Amino acid sequence: EVLKEKVEEEEEAERAERAERAERAEKMMRPMEVRKEDTTRTQEMLRDLERKLSEIEVSIPEKSSTFTKDAIDTSKLPLSYQSNTPKEEHLLQVADNFSRQYSHLCPDRVPLFLYPVNECNVPKFVSTTIRPTLMPYPELYNWDTCAQFVSDFLSAVPLPDPLKPVVKEEEKAPPKKYAVKPPRDLTSRFEREQEIKRQEGVKAEEEKRLKQGERLAEQESAKTDPLHGLRVHSWVLVLSGKREVPESFFIDPFTARSYSTQDDHFLGIESLWNHKNYWVNMQDCWNCCKDLVFDLGDPVRWEYLLLETDKPLLSLTEEEDDGTNDDDDAENLGKEDEDKSFDMPCSWVEQIEISPEAFETRCPNGKKVIQYKRARLEKWAPYLNNNGLVCRLTTYEDLECTKILEIKEWFQNREDMLELKHINKVTGLNIDYFKPGHPQALRAHSYTSMQPEMDRVMEFYEKVRVDGLIKREETPRTMTEYYQGRPDLLSYRHVNFGPRTKKLALNSAESNPRPVVKITERFFRNPAKPADEDVAERVFLILDERIQLRYHCREDHLTASKREFLWRTEGDSKGNKIIMTPDMCLSFEVEPMEHTKKLLYQYEAMMKLKNEEKLARHQAWESELEVLEILKLREEEEAAHALTISIYDTKRNEKSKEYREAMERMMHEEHLWQAEAQLDYLAPFLAQLPPGEKLTRWQAMRLKDECLSDFKQRLIDKANLIQARFEKETQELQKQQQWYQENQVTLTPEDEDLYLSYCSQAMFRIRVMEQRLNRHKELAPLKYLALEEKLYKDPRLVELLKVFV
């Protein structure tokens, strides 16, 4: 009956399809002439379509796995990874019972995260996956550097299901051999094609509008997350109390950032665990985590899995303590506690071992890329890039990350002390930041081009420079410098340049300097001078041959004194002096003084200012030379980008490596020397006998006596040598003491210090030699007896010397 119904359904579907084709043919009927042309064109299009379709290769993409279990060879893992101990099995039963009770009492809450499977698909309790380990790296002793180290190793991978931390893939049932085929699709194929064309047109229009920026604001607008409050996440909670932690806080493991427990990003907590216990939050999280009390010893707020908790339970009230307890109740209570008590099993994971190379590499393979919205962060291990690049942050204008706005690059271990390079792709402005130690004391360098006489700003470490320069701003026609801490109290110098008469060259400031048109200098207040005599600003108008002065204003005045000198090139009849006239000095004085009106005073002031003008022009020329020198140095540094290597880095430091190899050679040579020194002590005496001759008893006795006699003489010679050195040092000290007694009156304090230092060192040497001599006298007999015993036990003499023992 089933087969019969199936055949009828197929026949009915075929009839419906034939009727649909006939109806479609009637609707699309056209004149015969047109149909012939269409038929020819259609055949060509079909052949072209078949040719294009044959060139297309379809490859079915493999399903991307969230967890890289296949990359782990489970056969090489320890036995603790592949199975559970009886205590772990007992813990899993306790956890399963706890989970069922929790689900019964709290049916509206999500299941607890208690015992996920590990790499070997073995269920493990979460607390046993934690193994506290003390590492030999000081950077891991603080939470911030430790969190940064962990975040560099982690890579954020989205969960298959954002609502569950562990999802088991359901196995698909194999298809049945005789399953009933589903009914045919009776929808119109023509209508489907038209619908697809219409959707493609709509999609193309939407993409066009998106490229034009019409829907950019709509995409940027905040959208309501349909899974808000349901997504799962795991992070670290640091409780207050120990290690001087004033208050509890959160640490996000992926960003290494710390958050307050009052932060709005954390909407609630389901459970907590460490290597000792597991706690379930029984508090209401309607106000996120702001009202949560992190007292893990409170069983009302935190339901624990095991009885052994980190914190004691809350104390009972007096009314509860006043209850009568007989001996039977106490005994039963103790038995009940014994039955329920259970210690957390030891961790099944191996102890963490991080080699120095892995600790320095940080990120897997030394590189990590994090993609953000309109930003891309790249990290590298130190010394992985030959230019010292360790981090790069690129920000984009669009969501597709195709138009770059700016780039920030961080460097380490650079010889030129380059720390950060900021590149603005929109304005073309580059800013280089340097750490202290640059040869030119550079702090920052802002520029659009490395060519000279362009817009740039240089900042310096003023405490390192002798001239106290803080900042230098340069344009094609001006140069402005800011100073601090100079003895002449100069704070500002602005130089205006005129058009260059010759073509610009690389060393233009030396061979073809720019003509200086105007120099403006400003000074800090000098409290040692009156305000009317303390220059606040002076302007050298070189082309106009004028010098303008403005003095500091008094505290009780609103205006300041001013003076202007008019420079004239006319001289006297000999042409070597300037003719001073009253109209060459124009002044405005708040409180006029008699001596300032004299021509001699004005002449001396003008001549001094003329010398100051020459000095200012020379300093402007030196500043141009320094700019060229810095630019040339920066080009060489960028081309070389040499890195500094610590002397303790024996892996990369060639000098340290050569020194270590030299020390190893010396130790090897010393070892060989010691080995040679420990050669046969009878060899010199055996060499006196004819080769191959067998020893007699009397010869063996003579060898023994000669060896002992020689050793005794060497002990005596050594004692005499120590005694001679002791007597020599003693005589030298006595001579120095006699010289001091004779010249004590005429000695200077430096001579007395030298004498006392010599006496101290001499007495130290004398005491050392005295101790060596006494020790040698004590050990010499023992060494003599030890050699004698060694000779009697020598295998070449032992049989011959038995009769003399």
Side-chain angles (χ1 to χ4, degrees), residues 666-681:
M666 292 178 59
M667 292 179 63
H668 180 66
E669 294 174 357
E670 184 178 359
H671 179 72
L672 294 178
W673 178 82
Q674 291 178 357
E676 293 177 357
Q678 296 178 359
L679 292 176
D680 188 9
Y681 43 88

Side-chain angles (χ1 to χ4, degrees), residues 453 467 472 474 477-481 483 486 490 493-497 508-510 513-521 540 542 612-628:
E453 300 180 9
D467 56 358
R472 176 184 289 129
E474 185 182 11
R477 290 297 181 89
T478 62
M479 179 182 293
T480 307
E481 296 176 333
Y483 297 90
R486 288 174 60 101
L490 178 65
R493 178 185 289 123
H494 181 80
V495 182
N496 293 82
F497 300 98
S508 58
E510 185 174 0
R514 290 181 289 180
V516 179
V517 176
K518 178 181 177 182
I519 300 178
T520 304
E521 294 180 340
F540 299 101
I542 300 174
E612 295 289 343
E613 177 186 333
K614 295 180 181 179
L615 179 61
R617 295 177 64 179
H618 180 74
Q619 291 176 349
W621 174 73
E622 288 184 344
S623 298
E624 288 188 272
L625 285 180
E626 185 181 21
V627 170
L628 293 176

